[in-house]
Amino acid sequence: RFKVGLQCPHCDSQQVIRNGKQADDTQRYLCRACGKTFQASTSTVQGRGSNATKRLEEVRALHVLGA
């Protein structure tokens, strides 16, 4: 995800620092430019909750079936 380096998904700034971890040991980050926090999966399919995960599984199933 971070090919160029760590970048804020909210403002695209690279002024990002680590900001602790969540209970599931997921790294949290803080953007010094906009002040928002995020994790590596923010603004990705994995970070959008169970509905996106379900939809991704449906798309994969259709791909396997050749639809």
Side-chain angles (χ1 to χ4, degrees):
R1 161 151 192 205
F2 301 111
K3 293 178 183 177
V4 179
L6 201 55
Q7 190 171 3
C8 175
H10 305 287
C11 71
D12 294 327
S13 171
Q14 291 185 348
Q15 297 178 5
V16 175
I17 59 171
R18 290 186 295 173
N19 190 36
K21 291 190 176 186
Q22 294 190 169
D24 66 354
D25 208 34
T26 302
Q27 181 69 55
R28 297 287 301 166
Y29 299 97
L30 171 68
C31 176
R32 288 185 170 174
C34 70
K36 293 187 178 182
T37 61
F38 63 96
Q39 61 192 35
S41 63
T42 300
S43 297
T44 65
V45 172
Q46 292 87 1
R48 292 191 184 125
S50 62
N51 288 339
T53 302
K54 182 179 176 183
R55 180 68 181 139
L56 181 60
E57 290 171 1
E58 292 171 355
V59 170
R60 285 182 179 156
L62 289 172
H63 180 72
V64 169
L65 295 174

